[in-house]
Amino acid sequence: MIPEPYEAIVKAIIYLLLAPVLGGLIAGIDRKVTARMQGRVGPPLLQPFYDVGKFFEKENLVVTTTQNFYALSYLVFMAVAGALFFSGGDMLLVIFAFTLSHIFLVLGAYAAFSPYSHIGAERELIQIIAYEPMIILTAVGMYMVTKSFYVGSIVQSTTPIILYLPGVFIGYLIVLTIKLRKSPFDLSTSHHAHQEIVKGVTTDFAGPNLGRIEIAHWYEYVFLLGVVYLFFAWNPFIAIAAIIIAYFLEILIDNTTSRVKWQMTLRSAWLVAGTLGVINLGVLYYLRMVVVP
Amino acid sequence: MTYLAKSPWIIHYDASSCNGCDIEVLAALTPVYDVERFGIVNTGNPKHADVFLVTGSVNEQNREILKNTYDQMADPKVVVAIGICAASGGIFRECYNVMGGIDKVIPVDVFVPGCAARPEAIIDGVVKALGILEAKRQAMNDRPAATRKPAGDSV
Ligand code: SF4
């Protein structure tokens, strides 16, 4: 067996190598299922890999060279966030790195001069503001149940976390819709062909930089679905099933709803965090403190 | 085949088409033909596109826009002129404001004939363009590094 101190490093390396493969496959399945829902055949399963391969074959066209730096930082910090998560690190640190990576994406979009890119950056910021409270409530909720912020301890807990945090879980699913850039919350950029602001945050990224952003998305997919796993960590089979059902629901919602305005996104995300999330945690607190002291 | 030919993203620009050819281009993008099977995505962003589809003739008003859109695309890229108007100006060639085919302004790689061009012909034209795209990619790689555009200079 791997000696204790190296275990975390090995897990992090495995994540760094395998997450893009898994994330790309998830993206491929997503496009295939979406096509079937629309009565089309759809692209090959490996299409996301072809797309990214192509981005690296193209010329590196940038508006300013700082874009290269921001696109790379987005990728690196996203990978770091996921690696910290999968090596059993501190949830709060993971959330910090996760948010920071998005800030780099926003800065990258602001670095270009196109108005579409700027509107995309603004909307991305609004999305961050919208989902951040719920993500933090998720971490706090897991702490209240397992008494630890460390993913390593949370995942080993035998408590069925989902039974204690149903409200937080539903809130997290709604936030997941924002994070996976799915309708109705795909404001800043979307995976669908056309958008009213061209391509939002990614408008001014071309070639290899766009490829880096896409790979960062793959890391992100695996990390976000890893959080879903934590809710069901006491039983891996149920956890995998939950991930599949959750992702299928996201695709279904994506294909049956239309894009809403940013006010609505902010309102619904905060309303859910403020009601389901806070009430869930309040009840949990009350039970722990008052009923079973 | 490289990745480029497996994932050609297109951008469509209506120069001064009568809309006949545009409807046929959009027909090729509907679920009936489902070009996403071949990895083709219709993007509205020249910076993400590899294939430039142009319908209609070029006129004094839009020559700048056409040129600008072309310049914003990253190399390697190909241009497909769709319909007789895009090839030569077609029935509008005598108009006082029409300059003629789009090859007056940007280099064209494939001409798709027809008035209006049929969706099958358009898909055929795009497939032909993919071969040219691949040749251009190889030419780009073979170019000595010194003559390549350094990243960041291509505003
Ligand atoms: S080629 Fe014919 S159908 Fe096409 S834009 Fe010209 S006139 Fe219209």
Side-chain angles (χ1 to χ4, degrees):
Chain A
M1 273 310 285
I2 314 155
E4 185 85 51
Y6 299 119
E7 211 182 284
I9 299 172
V10 172
K11 278 183 189 161
I13 291 173
I14 292 177
Y15 167 78
L16 290 178
L17 295 177
L18 286 189
V21 178
L22 194 61
L25 280 177
I26 293 171
I29 295 169
D30 185 335
R31 281 175 72 171
K32 199 85 195 167
V33 174
T34 298
R36 288 292 155 85
M37 282 182 182
Q38 297 169 352
R40 297 185 286 121
V41 178
L45 185 62
L46 299 181
Q47 189 60 43
F49 296 101
Y50 301 155
D51 289 347
V52 167
K54 176 196 73 175
F55 292 144
F56 285 97
E57 284 176 355
K58 300 266 294 180
E59 170 197 21
N60 189 19
L61 189 73
V62 290
V63 183
T64 84
T65 34
T66 44
Q67 277 186 302
N68 294 327
F69 166 72
Y70 289 129
L72 189 65
S73 303
Y74 175 49
L75 172 58
V76 168
F77 278 94
M78 185 59 76
V80 165
L84 280 173
F85 179 83
F86 280 90
S87 60
D90 190 333
M91 265 300 248
L92 296 176
L93 197 58
V94 171
I95 294 173
F96 174 71
F98 183 69
T99 309
L100 189 60
S101 78
H102 285 94
I103 297 296
F104 279 114
L105 180 65
V106 170
L107 287 174
Y110 270 129
F113 308 118
S114 115
Y116 303 113
S117 186
H118 282 195
I119 296 176
E122 253 165 57
R123 290 187 181 182
E124 182 73 25
L125 270 181
I126 288 164
Q127 287 189 1
I128 295 174
I129 297 166
Y131 68 68
E132 205 61 24
M134 196 60 233
I135 299 251
I136 294 187
L137 283 184
T138 305
V140 171
M142 293 206 174
Y143 172 78
M144 286 178 76
V145 177
T146 63
K147 291 278 168 287
S148 171
F149 274 119
Y150 281 87
V151 179
S153 329
I154 297 173
V155 80
Q156 273 162 9
S157 142
T158 47
T159 336
I161 299 176
I162 179 76
L163 297 185
Y164 292 87
L165 300 174
V168 171
F169 183 65
I170 294 171
Y172 181 77
L173 284 186
I174 288 170
V175 157
L176 199 60
T177 317
I178 302 179
K179 280 317 303 148
L180 294 176
R181 306 188 182 288
K182 298 225 172 275
S183 278
F185 302 131
D186 51 351
L187 302 174
S188 66
T189 184
S190 104
H191 287 294
H192 295 300
H194 275 283
Q195 191 169 11
E196 75 278 13
I197 50 170
V198 188
K199 268 288 174 190
V201 267
T202 59
T203 301
D204 269 313
F205 290 101
N209 281 334
L210 192 58
R212 283 179 203 118
I213 289 176
E214 202 53 40
I215 295 173
H217 281 325
W218 295 347
Y219 275 118
E220 191 178 357
Y221 285 171
V222 177
F223 160 67
L224 290 169
L225 296 177
V227 178
V228 175
Y229 184 96
L230 281 190
F231 280 97
F232 301 87
W234 93 100
N235 186 334
F237 295 107
I238 298 181
I240 302 284
I243 289 175
I244 294 172
I245 293 170
Y247 203 88
F248 183 79
L249 279 179
E250 295 293 346
I251 300 177
L252 190 68
I253 292 168
D254 188 26
N255 281 297
T256 46
T257 52
S258 53
R259 189 172 299 131
V260 296
K261 289 183 182 170
W262 67 265
Q263 292 93 332
M264 180 72 179
T265 304
L266 203 58
R267 219 176 289 140
S268 36
W270 278 6
L271 201 68
V272 165
T275 52
L276 287 177
V278 171
I279 290 176
N280 192 160
L281 295 190
V283 168
L284 209 59
Y285 185 78
Y286 179 76
L287 290 179
R288 279 283 147 85
M289 287 295 165
V290 184
V291 183
V292 225
Chain B
M1 279 240 275
T2 55
Y3 297 119
L4 197 55
K6 283 184 181 160
S7 151
W9 290 13
I10 61 170
I11 176 162
H12 167 215
Y13 179 64
D14 172 353
S16 27
S17 158
C18 77
N19 257 316
C21 285
D22 297 298
I23 288 167
E24 301 300 323
V25 167
L26 294 176
L29 296 167
T30 57
V32 177
Y33 295 95
D34 185 26
V35 285
E36 206 192 357
R37 281 179 297 160
F38 312 115
I40 299 176
V41 170
N42 179 26
T43 157
N45 184 357
K47 292 188 180 181
H48 293 184
D50 312 293
V51 183
F52 192 15
L53 302 183
V54 188
T55 53
S57 58
V58 62
N59 63 37
E60 297 295 341
Q61 293 269 327
N62 64 26
R63 53 187 289 191
E64 286 300 317
I65 297 159
L66 187 65
K67 180 87 175 61
N68 191 347
T69 310
Y70 176 80
D71 287 341
Q72 285 191 49
M73 292 171 67
D75 276 327
K77 54 188 168 188
V78 283
V79 177
V80 182
I82 291 166
I84 295 304
C85 290
S88 67
I91 54 165
F92 302 113
R93 67 176 300 150
E94 305 284 292
C95 291
Y96 64 95
N97 59 337
V98 168
M99 295 176 68
I102 59 162
D103 56 351
K104 289 249 161 54
V105 182
I106 56 174
V108 176
D109 299 282
V110 179
F111 291 96
V112 177
C115 176
R118 300 175 64 84
E120 290 89 345
I122 295 170
I123 295 174
D124 208 35
V126 171
V127 170
K128 214 173 204 93
L130 295 187
I132 300 171
L133 197 59
E134 175 54 22
K136 282 191 176 180
R137 186 190 70 81
Q138 270 164 13
M140 193 173 104
N141 284 353
D142 294 343
R143 232 186 298 161
T147 63
R148 258 181 243 161
K149 263 190 270 179
D153 270 358
S154 37
V155 174

